Amino acid sequence: MRSADVSPAKMIPRFRTVKSTFDLRSSSTVGRVNRRAFVSTAATAIALASGFSRAADQQVWRVAVIGHTGRGDYGHSMHTLWLDLPDAKIIALADADDKGRALTQRKLGVEQVFADYREMIRQTQPDIVAVCPRHVDEHHDMIVAAVEGGARGIYCEKPFCRTLQEADNILAVCEQRGTKLAIAHRNRYHPALAAMKAAVDDGAIGRLLEIRCRGKEDRRGGAQDLWVLGTHLFNLATFFAGRATACSAVLLLGDRPITRADIVEGAEGLGPIAGDRLHARFETESGVPVFFDSIRDAGTKAAGFGLQLVGTAGMFDLRIDTEPLVHFIPGSPFQPTANSRPWTPVTSAGIGMPEPIHDIKNLVAQHLLPARDLFKSIVGDQQPLCSGYDGRETVEMVHATFASHLQNGQRVALPLVTRTHPFAQ
């Protein structure tokens, strides 16, 4: 029966609810999918969300916060999230800016403050270090200092770091010391992803053909949009499509391809960037291509920043930092129809189902589920849902776009052999 002959209500598929099981962690962390090892993301998220009162014998995690006022500040609630966790206590704060340090000290109600984060770590020996600055250029040194200072866990603002060389070194140090590193791509922890993945596996949108990503496409359009916002999207796209294995891309300034003469130092400590338009295509281990596009000032506040899973019989649309995060659109996107195609919310319970998790928006947006997962990862000696390995994968995809452009858009294989920044070579 053609989609034009089906009512919108009947186009919503039946599929597994939260009892569906599949892999929590990306292929970059656990290798190829093994269904016998699947666990329920939704069940895990509900368990994480439900544990917001502390038993008398429960461990209290000692947290040290690193910020840098005027140089990335404190990210998106990266410093205050610990105040809402009964089993966490902020014991110290480091900020090189005197005024910013004093203001943040009052906000956090912390007694021990330091201008030097290395000295803070040495003196206080925290269990967990929150690396909060949005500026990327300090992340490597801050993370390494935390690991070498004995931290058991680290929660780091995105983007992860500037180069694959930095990422490789960070992960080597973490592996040596057994430190668990989580990256603050907070939507990776959203419980609705479990229901969405189960629906994709059950054929809700037919055969998955491609994943399309767009940044915010504001004044940062192009390479900066790729770094700051595209890494969020890559982290989600690879969850569904698997590891990126190759890339072809072109960067433009206006209507012409960028040259080395156009390379400038990016804002927020990003390192060298260029261009205000970017079009990239990634091959993945699943065979599903992932596209990323960003054009300066092409976006609107009402749409844009997100990704779409396009299938033969429908689509899933994710709008980042909104609630609900996911919508299901039934019907072939390639065939016209006289019927409307409703955008049906997807919750942790399934397509069109009421959301069973109370205050889900706050749990995700304020990083509470990610923090809970970090605690769980330390205790269980497992990688966080969004680990340093996942962070390195996003850096690899960014670098691959630059490397491909420098080769006139030729296909480059991942992982990249050269680990330094392509524009710095």
Side-chain angles (χ1 to χ4, degrees):
M1 181 178 292
R2 293 181 293 111
S3 60
D5 299 321
V6 183
S7 68
K10 291 181 179 179
M11 293 170 75
I12 299 178
R14 297 178 180 276
F15 84 140
R16 298 174 305 207
T17 58
V18 293
K19 294 183 180 180
S20 302
T21 56
F22 61 94
D23 189 17
L24 264 173
R25 315 198 182 258
S26 76
S27 55
S28 62
T29 301
V30 298
R32 292 191 177 276
V33 172
N34 179 355
R35 284 188 171 273
R36 295 179 182 177
F38 281 176
V39 293
S40 170
T41 300
T44 300
I46 292 171
L48 290 172
S50 64
F52 280 82
S53 60
R54 186 177 69 84
D57 59 348
Q58 188 174 12
Q59 176 174 352
V60 176
W61 300 93
R62 300 167 62 256
V63 180
V65 170
I66 303 174
H68 194 162
T69 302
R71 289 280 297 121
D73 303 315
Y74 291 87
H76 300 82
S77 306
M78 294 280 293
H79 56 318
T80 57
L81 75 94
W82 315 98
L83 299 175
D84 294 325
L85 296 170
D87 47 349
K89 178 178 176 58
I90 302 174
I91 61 166
L93 161 71
D95 188 332
D97 182 85
D98 293 342
K99 184 177 180 180
R101 184 170 63 251
L103 289 172
T104 307
Q105 179 183 15
R106 290 195 292 271
K107 178 179 290 187
L108 299 181
V110 63
E111 294 184 4
Q112 298 188 79
V113 295
F114 300 82
D116 185 338
Y117 63 83
R118 293 179 179 85
E119 184 65 18
M120 175 188 71
I121 293 167
R122 187 185 68 79
Q123 288 196 30
T124 64
Q125 298 184 328
D127 300 313
I128 292 173
V129 174
V131 176
C132 302
R134 292 192 315 276
H135 287 198
V136 187
D137 54 345
E138 293 187 289
H139 286 183
H140 172 272
D141 292 351
M142 290 175 174
I143 294 170
V144 171
V147 175
E148 292 180 345
R152 299 176 65 190
I154 298 167
Y155 192 49
C156 179
E157 176 65 301
K158 58 79 198 171
F160 177 26
C161 55
R162 294 172 297 179
T163 69
L164 290 169
Q165 191 174 46
E166 288 186 344
D168 292 343
N169 186 56
I170 288 170
L171 293 177
V173 172
C174 287
E175 287 174 359
Q176 183 181 19
R177 299 294 186 99
T179 305
K180 306 307 176 189
L181 170 63
I183 310 300
H185 291 294
R186 60 194 184 193
N187 286 297
R188 181 61 173 273
Y189 299 83
H190 199 295
L193 294 183
M196 179 180 168
K197 180 71 162 57
V200 171
D201 290 346
D202 279 349
I205 59 173
R207 179 179 178 180
L208 178 59
L209 299 176
E210 62 187 35
I211 299 177
R212 291 198 166 271
C213 310
R214 300 199 78 93
K216 282 193 175 179
E217 299 185 284
D218 51 19
R219 59 179 174 77
R220 297 169 293 183
Q224 188 174 351
D225 200 12
L226 170 73
W227 265 119
V228 178
L229 301 163
T231 49
H232 272 305
L233 306 178
F234 292 160
N235 181 247
L236 294 174
T238 54
F239 175 69
F240 294 101
R243 238 186 240 103
T245 58
C247 173
S248 56
V250 59
L251 289 88
L252 302 102
L253 185 59
D255 294 327
R256 65 171 178 81
I258 66 109
T259 67
R260 286 194 176 274
D262 298 312
I263 295 173
V264 297
E265 190 67 20
E268 300 187 32
L270 294 173
I273 63 173
D276 55 12
R277 290 176 57 191
L278 171 61
H279 305 287
R281 180 187 185 276
F282 297 90
E283 300 170 31
T284 68
E285 60 184 352
S286 68
V288 175
V290 173
F291 299 87
F292 177 84
D293 297 275
S294 176
I295 302 172
R296 180 174 293 170
D297 295 326
T300 68
K301 290 184 179 181
F305 182 32
L307 66 158
Q308 293 182 321
L309 276 65
V310 181
T312 56
M315 294 193 301
F316 281 108
D317 183 275
L318 290 84
R319 298 293 98 189
I320 304 303
D321 298 334
T322 65
E323 191 60 45
L325 174 71
V326 185
H327 285 85
F328 167 70
I329 305 97
S332 170
F334 311 107
Q335 294 180 344
T337 175
N339 294 319
S340 63
R341 288 180 172 147
W343 286 48
T344 303
V346 181
T347 69
S348 63
I351 298 175
M353 301 294 289
E355 178 53 66
I357 301 176
H358 174 66
D359 200 19
I360 189 170
K361 182 176 182 179
N362 184 61
L363 292 175
V364 175
Q366 300 304 313
H367 302 266
L368 301 179
L369 290 183
R372 282 280 182 218
D373 180 71
L374 179 57
F375 299 160
K376 183 172 179 287
S377 297
I378 296 170
V379 173
D381 191 22
Q382 62 189 28
Q383 290 299 323
L385 288 182
C386 185
S387 70
Y389 298 95
D390 300 300
R392 179 170 65 181
E393 187 171 47
T394 66
V395 176
E396 187 116 42
M397 293 173 76
V398 170
H399 277 205
T401 65
F402 301 153
S404 174
H405 176 83
L406 291 175
Q407 298 179 43
N408 298 315
Q410 291 185 33
R411 177 184 182 273
V412 296
L414 281 72
L416 297 173
V417 174
T418 302
R419 311 301 280 177
T420 53
H421 198 295
F423 285 168
Q425 296 166 24

